[in-house]
Amino acid sequence: MDAVSCALLPASCTLCGSPLPQLSSVPICSVCWLEFPIQTGSACARCGDVVEIPGLVTKIPSVSFCRACRLAPPPFVRAVAFGLYQGRMKAAIHALKYDRLHPAARRLGRMLARAITQLAGEAPIEMLVVPVPLHGARFADRGFNQARALAEQALRFLRKSHPEWRLTLASSTLMRLRATESQAGLNPRERRLNVRGAFTVSDKAAVAEKHVLLIDDILTTGATARSAALALVRAGAASVWVATLARARMVNAERHLRAEKLEGDHGFDNHAVTEALQHEVSYSSQDQPSF
C-alpha cells in the first residue's frame, strides 16, 4: 500500500528533498531525523553556552560558567537544550514555525523531553510548565505558539518516562505586553533592550512560591529567557528553569579573550564590562528569531 500510495501521491522530505518511501503526516525522512546535531562538549552550567577555552571557567571543581553568566548571572537557575540550532534541527524548527508543519511538534517534543530530563535530580519534581508567549498579533498571524505545542508534546512523554514528576502546563501564566521587534538580525545588546519589560505574569498568586519550567524552541543570547524569567521571579516564583529544543552555539572565541582583559581591568560586577561583552559576542544563527 505504501508503494502504491507513494506512486500515486509522491512526496519528498521537507528537509533534504529525498523521496519518501511511505506516506506520513510528517514529511521528514528517517535519515534526517538521525542527523539532528546533539549538543556536546563543555558547556556553561548556567546557560548552556559553550565553554571552549581552558582556564575560562570557575575555580569550583566540575563546574564551569561562561563569562556572561559570571559577570551578569541570569535570573534562571539553569538552561538546557537537546541540540544545536544548525543543520537539520534549524530546518525542522523553521518548518514547524513558518511552514506550519504542525505534526513535527510530536517528534520534536520528544527531543525537548529528553532535554528536560537533564534536570532530573536537580530541579524540583513539581513545577509549572510555562511556554514563552507570542504577542496577540503574531499569534493571530502564525495561528499557533510553537513553544506551547512543543511543551504539550514533551509533557506527554515525560508523564510516561518520569511519572514521579508533577509538571503542570500553565500556558496563560506569562503574557507578552507588547509586540517586540523580531530578534532576527539584532546584536546581543539590541536583543536585550528589545525584550526588556516585555513580559508580565497574569496572576501572581498562581506562581507565588512555585517552581517554574520555562519552555521555548531556541535559546541564542538568552535575552528573552532572562526577561521572561525576571518577570516570573518578580511575581514571586521560587525558581525558574529553562528548557529549549535547540541552543545557538557561540562562534566568536575572541569574546572570551576580550573578557579576560576586561575582567582584569574592571572586575566582575562592573556594568561597563557586561555592556562591552554584549557587543563582542556573535552566534552561529542570528538569522532567525530566537529565545
Side-chain angles (χ1 to χ4, degrees):
M1 290 183 64
D2 277 331
V4 173
S5 299
C6 289
L8 297 176
L9 300 170
S12 299
C13 173
T14 300
L15 305 188
C16 71
S18 300
L20 292 174
Q22 60 188 27
L23 290 178
S24 173
S25 61
V26 185
I28 298 177
C29 70
S30 57
V31 174
C32 282
W33 283 117
L34 296 175
E35 294 180 344
F36 278 52
I38 298 176
Q39 189 171 15
T40 58
S42 180
C44 174
R46 180 67 70 87
C47 74
D49 205 352
V50 293
V51 180
E52 294 181 331
I53 302 177
L56 297 184
V57 297
T58 65
K59 304 304 181 182
I60 304 174
S62 76
V63 177
S64 299
F65 294 107
C66 68
R67 291 293 178 182
C69 286
R70 294 183 67 182
L71 293 169
F76 54 81
V77 180
R78 185 184 174 195
V80 293
F82 172 82
L84 300 176
Y85 184 56
Q86 56 187 234
R88 301 299 189 218
M89 174 71 81
K90 180 178 177 181
I93 292 176
H94 193 279
L96 172 66
K97 292 170 67 171
Y98 306 114
D99 298 336
R100 292 172 172 78
L101 189 61
H102 297 174
R106 178 177 175 81
R107 188 95 176 238
L108 294 174
R110 180 182 297 181
M111 294 179 180
L112 176 62
R114 288 179 59 184
I116 296 171
T117 59
Q118 297 177 49
L119 300 175
E122 182 179 355
I125 61 173
E126 183 173 353
M127 292 187 287
L128 295 178
V129 180
V130 178
V132 171
L134 296 176
H135 186 265
R138 183 164 296 176
F139 180 84
D141 178 64
R142 188 173 297 174
F144 79 112
N145 179 358
Q146 74 280 355
R148 177 173 179 173
L150 292 169
E152 290 173 343
Q153 295 301 325
L155 288 181
R156 289 183 56 189
F157 294 104
L158 289 172
R159 290 188 184 109
K160 297 177 182 178
S161 64
H162 290 73
E164 71 279 10
W165 284 359
R166 296 190 295 276
L167 304 178
T168 304
L169 185 64
S171 56
S172 61
T173 296
L174 198 62
M175 299 173 59
R176 193 179 288 258
L177 293 174
R178 52 188 173 82
T180 55
E181 181 183 351
S182 172
Q183 298 280 64
L186 302 181
N187 64 39
R189 181 175 183 275
E190 291 170 340
R191 288 170 182 252
R192 179 176 58 82
L193 295 176
N194 185 40
V195 294
R196 176 180 290 175
F199 299 99
T200 190
V201 173
S202 58
D203 182 4
K204 293 183 178 181
V207 302
E209 301 303 320
K210 300 289 181 63
H211 301 284
V212 177
L213 178 61
L214 193 64
I215 299 291
D216 206 7
D217 53 349
I218 312 162
L219 191 150
T220 302
T221 64
T224 303
R226 285 173 177 259
S227 181
L230 184 60
L232 290 164
V233 169
R234 286 176 172 173
S239 68
V240 179
W241 306 72
V242 178
T244 59
L245 183 60
R247 182 66 160 92
R249 192 180 184 91
M250 189 174 68
V251 297
N252 186 4
E254 291 180 359
R255 178 249 192 172
H256 285 298
L257 300 178
R258 176 64 172 161
E260 274 284 292
K261 181 178 184 301
L262 288 171
E263 180 187 52
D265 291 344
H266 301 282
F268 285 134
D269 297 327
N270 193 292
H271 180 70
V273 180
T274 304
E275 291 290 310
L277 286 175
Q278 289 166 335
H279 284 291
E280 295 287 334
V281 69
S282 64
Y283 285 78
S284 59
S285 300
Q286 287 195 352
D287 57 333
Q288 298 297 338
S290 54
F291 192 26

